[in-house]
Amino acid sequence: MARTAILTILHYPQHVTEYGVHWNFFYTLAVVKIVSIALPKMYPLLWAFVFGILQQTMLKQGYETWILDGENKRDTLFSANAEGVCSLMGYFTIYYISDAIGVFISKTGIRIKSWIECCWRLFAFALLFFLMQHLAEHAFGPPSRRVVNLTYIFAQMSLLSFAIAGFLFVQLFSIIAWAANVPYFCVDDSPWSGVEPCLTASVNRSGLVFFLLSNVFTGFVNFTLDAHHTDDATSMFILNSYLLTLCVIVHFCSNPKIRKHS
């Protein structure tokens, strides 16, 4: 509520087609959290299946067309926040699929062989979700974050699974490189530091700072230019520039030895 009030006072540029007039993603996170607490913890894939079917069924009843084709007049509280409200079950689906993947990862043993198997299985999950995304595109149309259709859900899960698998691959490579006594580059003198990439360690130590700075940088960008009408090349340049800046700041702040030498 405070965030909404502050953004309104500051006239922060917010496009109503993102989540609606009053809704924002923090409300979505809150509702997802409440639902995850209220429902039984067992069988996350079952909940994902139920919410996914309900979400796509609801969208096929005309809500997707109503939202995406500009027919929404936003003359009631519900219609004013249609994107945020109508996408909730889609985010429930993403949450429970992610929960199932988390349970799978948590059951991995302590042996390197087990983690290698986990890694290639995650890559397989990413490929499976990617194929399901293409099937969903033929059945339900292109992915849409505004309504969080099944195509978007599979696209996000493919991306997230691939990202986790990629990070795990880097971690495994670091462990194998350390075990083989391959030289590594890190500011930490500990011989175990090679097991964890330096930037990963820095972000892990300063996760909250990284998150808050990301929001501040995003706000600064949105205040200084029209982000909704910026071309792709400029957008990618800005994104990569402030991501690089964030990483440098967090890595610098998380490693006192760098500050001392500088």
Side-chain angles (χ1 to χ4, degrees):
M1 294 293 183
R3 179 183 182 274
T4 302
I6 292 172
L7 294 183
T8 302
I9 294 172
L10 294 176
H11 300 290
Y12 183 79
Q14 299 181 89
H15 207 288
V16 294
T17 58
E18 289 190 21
Y19 296 102
V21 178
H22 313 101
W23 199 274
N24 62 62
F25 191 61
F26 288 95
Y27 294 161
T28 299
L29 290 176
V31 175
V32 170
K33 182 64 176 178
I34 292 171
V35 170
S36 68
I37 294 174
L39 293 179
K41 304 295 183 184
M42 297 183 297
Y43 313 118
L45 283 179
L46 175 61
W47 290 118
F49 179 80
V50 170
F51 283 122
I53 294 298
L54 290 175
Q55 174 71 1
Q56 194 59 48
T57 301
M58 178 197 68
L59 294 177
K60 282 300 178 182
Q61 297 304 310
Y63 284 94
E64 184 170 8
T65 303
W66 175 59
I67 293 172
L68 297 181
D69 291 354
E71 299 177 5
N72 182 7
K73 304 302 181 183
R74 302 190 187 277
D75 51 359
T76 65
L77 185 61
F78 171 72
S79 62
N81 300 284
E83 288 85 353
V85 176
C86 292
S87 63
L88 281 174
M89 287 190 292
Y91 284 111
F92 296 161
T93 307
I94 292 175
Y95 171 83
Y96 280 108
I97 296 177
S98 302
D99 186 36
I101 293 177
V103 171
F104 163 75
I105 295 175
S106 68
K107 293 181 179 179
T108 306
I110 61 173
R111 294 180 178 273
I112 296 296
K113 180 180 178 181
S114 300
W115 284 104
I116 292 175
E117 182 178 353
C118 176
C119 185
W120 75 256
R121 285 181 183 273
L122 286 171
F123 277 121
F125 290 161
L127 177 60
L128 176 62
F129 284 126
F130 180 73
L131 295 175
M132 294 173 72
Q133 173 194 340
H134 279 274
L135 290 175
E137 283 186 19
H138 289 291
F140 308 118
S144 171
R145 187 190 62 79
R146 291 176 62 189
V147 295
V148 189
N149 53 9
L150 278 180
T151 312
Y152 177 81
I153 292 171
F154 291 140
Q156 289 302 298
M157 295 315 305
S158 175
L159 175 63
L160 294 173
S161 300
F162 185 82
I164 295 173
F167 292 144
L168 180 56
F169 177 81
V170 172
Q171 193 82 350
L172 288 170
F173 179 81
S174 300
I175 294 174
I176 294 171
W178 171 82
N181 201 26
V182 174
Y184 55 87
F185 302 93
C186 188
V187 296
D188 197 337
D189 293 328
S190 169
W192 294 98
S193 61
V195 177
E196 184 177 24
C198 300
L199 185 57
T200 303
S202 298
V203 174
N204 284 339
R205 281 195 293 265
S206 306
L208 180 60
V209 174
F210 189 86
F211 173 76
L212 293 176
L213 280 176
S214 299
N215 279 272
V216 171
F217 277 37
T218 302
F220 175 76
V221 170
N222 288 334
F223 266 126
T224 53
L225 54 85
D226 186 2
H228 289 282
H229 299 94
T230 304
D231 61 272
D232 293 343
T234 304
S235 298
M236 288 302 299
F237 175 77
I238 293 172
L239 285 171
N240 284 291
S241 296
Y242 90 52
L243 181 59
L244 177 62
T245 304
L246 279 170
C247 291
V248 170
I249 292 174
V250 170
H251 189 56
F252 182 85
C253 294
S254 300
N255 293 278
K257 290 185 178 181
I258 296 180
R259 297 200 301 270
K260 185 184 297 183
H261 290 303
S262 61

